[in-house]
Structure formats: structure tokens, C-alpha cells
Amino acid sequence: MTLVIDPKVFYFGTPVVLVSSINEDGSPNLAPMSSAWWLGRSCMLGLDATSKTTENLERGSDCVLNLADSEMVDAVDRLALMTGSRVLPEHKAQKGFEFEPDKFGRAGLTPLASDLVSAPRVAQCRVQLEARVTAIQPFGAPHADARAVEVEIIRTHVDPDLVVPGTVDHIDPVQWDPLIMKFTEFFGSAVNLRPSTLARGFGMMHGAVLSPTDSSASRR
Ligand SMILES: Cc1cc2nc3c(=O)[nH]c(=O)nc-3n(C[C@H](O)[C@H](O)[C@H](O)COP(=O)(O)O)c2cc1C
């Protein structure tokens, strides 16, 4: 049996990304978001049309997708009701948002120069993806005024402890514990539920970590 409902949000659970971008005066902005997915070397970001980040990306700013892990939950939460927009849109003013030109400082996070883009990385993030915008489309009508921002990942930085030993191109899914936003609540857990058939098909190098006989293996 099912119930027909009208959910307030469809946030079923996605990783939290801290998107850094460059403001018109050259200063950095930083914004948490979680409507993000990756395919190939591209990522699609779902962003409110009124956000400073959206404005920056539409003006031509590049960005860094800094992936937050579960230990960064307090820093992410400190940014929750802030915007880099000096003039607040009505819907944010009603929710109690405030203008904050120094998001790094307020979050207690450290900017780190990127290699290929102007936007800074977040030193505390264990995965930092330098990216440039390739397309921006309207998204969400008639219920939301949003943008689908497609970016190309041009450089990937990861904490060496996240790389599967003996490889240079595989991130260890057990070591990586993403901060997940689910229905506006924060979740994180490195528990691996069972061996993945997709991983076997992709020839992924996680066998040493995730053996079929020990599906809850963890090196933590
Ligand atoms: C955990 C979390 C996830 C969020 N996900 C999104 C999102 O996917 N898209 C979006 O537009 N805003 C999202 N927000 C809200 C933005 O952070 C908010 O609009 C913020 O003001 C953007 O900052 P900016 O205006 O300086 O760009 C999220 C906020 C939090 C705390």
C-alpha cells in the first residue's frame, strides 16, 4: 500500500558540496549545496536563480566543488542561512538569511589557491574539484526559479588517504564518508551495505577493502 502525498521537498539524500566562486570584486564566495550529480567528467548543479553563486557563475566565474565529509557538518551548518548577495531576495529574507561577504571566515574554513581556476579550494575538504562552467539552463518551472549549471571537472585533488593503495585513480568508497543532506537533515556513515554488482562491472579496485565475504568491511 502507498499514500499519495505532496512532499514539501524531494531531497532524498545527496552529498553536500561547498561551491566556491568569485564575486565581481574578486573576493571569493562559498555556498553549501546538495543538488549535485556527476557523470563522466561533468557535474550538474541545481542552484537557486537568486543565489550569489548562480550570479557569479552566470557572469563567467569558474568554481571549485569542495566535497564535505561528515566531520565538516558544523562548518557547513554555520553557512546554512547566509548569502553572498548584498540585497536579499524576498524568500531568503523571510527565512532569516543574512548577507555575509566572508563565508570562509564565518564557517572557520581555509581558502587554498587552486591550480587551474580562480576560485579557491577549501583546505579542510578531502575532495576538491576544480571546474569551469560549460552550460547553464533554466530549471524547475513552474515551481522553482532555478538553474541547471553544467560544469566540467578539470582538476581533482584528494586526500592521499582516500586513494585505494596501489592505485592512482581510484577513490576508496569506505574511507570516503560524504556528508549527506537528506530532507534538509545531515547524515554521514561509512557503513558499506553489501558488495556492489555495478562496481564489479566497472572493474573497480575495491576488492581488498570490500570482500564479498565481509560486506561490512571498514578500515576505520
Ligand atoms: C546542506 C545544504 C544544502 C543546500 N543545497 C542547495 C542546493 O542544492 N541548491 C541551492 O540552490 N541551494 C542550496 N542550499 C542553500 C544555499 O546554500 C543558499 O541559497 C545560500 O544562500 C547560497 O549562498 P550564495 O547566495 O552566497 O550563493 C543548501 C544549503 C545547505 C545548508
Side-chain angles (χ1 to χ4, degrees):
M1 173 191 142
T2 55
L3 271 185
V4 174
I5 66 166
D6 184 16
K8 185 161 181 190
V9 292
F10 287 96
Y11 302 160
F12 290 99
T14 42
V16 174
V17 183
L18 291 168
V19 182
S20 58
S21 61
I22 297 293
N23 298 319
E24 60 273 28
D25 63 2
S27 63
N29 188 39
L30 187 66
M33 60 84 65
S34 55
S35 301
W37 51 269
W38 288 258
L39 193 62
R41 287 290 181 264
S42 298
C43 177
M44 190 65 95
L45 305 169
L47 291 172
D48 182 88
T50 65
S51 291
K52 187 68 183 177
T53 302
T54 311
E55 181 190 314
N56 288 344
L57 298 180
E58 287 183 322
R59 196 187 334 100
S61 171
D62 48 36
C63 61
V64 180
L65 312 180
N66 300 279
L67 273 61
D69 61 59
S70 59
E71 290 178 6
M72 294 182 66
V73 64
D74 293 339
V76 170
D77 197 55
R78 282 195 283 273
L79 293 173
L81 291 181
M82 292 178 191
T83 175
S85 299
R86 195 172 291 275
V87 179
L88 265 68
E90 185 54 33
H91 70 99
K92 284 190 180 170
Q94 278 174 8
K95 292 189 183 92
F97 273 74
E98 59 174 308
F99 166 57
E100 176 52 67
D102 179 18
K103 302 266 204 81
F104 275 93
R106 284 292 292 274
L109 296 171
T110 314
L112 198 61
S114 295
D115 289 348
L116 304 177
V117 302
S118 311
R121 296 178 281 149
V122 174
Q124 288 83 354
C125 286
R126 302 181 77 191
V127 178
Q128 307 147 356
L129 308 173
E130 296 186 32
R132 60 175 162 236
V133 175
T134 52
I136 301 183
Q137 316 275 352
F139 184 85
H143 303 288
D145 183 13
R147 300 285 182 270
V149 180
E150 185 179 337
V151 303
E152 178 192 5
I153 311 298
I154 55 174
R155 179 145 298 184
T156 300
H157 304 261
V158 299
D159 180 331
D161 289 344
L162 288 181
V163 179
V164 173
T167 79
V168 290
D169 55 357
H170 285 74
I171 296 174
D172 186 333
V174 171
Q175 295 301 311
W176 171 233
D177 183 21
L179 177 61
I180 299 291
M181 203 215 63
K182 189 166 31 159
F183 297 111
T184 73
E185 299 292 345
F186 294 112
F187 284 81
S189 163
V191 173
N192 181 239
L193 301 177
R194 52 152 292 144
S196 160
T197 304
L198 188 69
R200 201 173 64 239
F202 269 56
M204 300 301 277
M205 307 292 288
H206 312 136
V209 180
L210 307 175
S211 80
T213 51
D214 180 10
S215 62
S216 63
S218 166
R219 296 192 304 185
R220 277 179 186 270

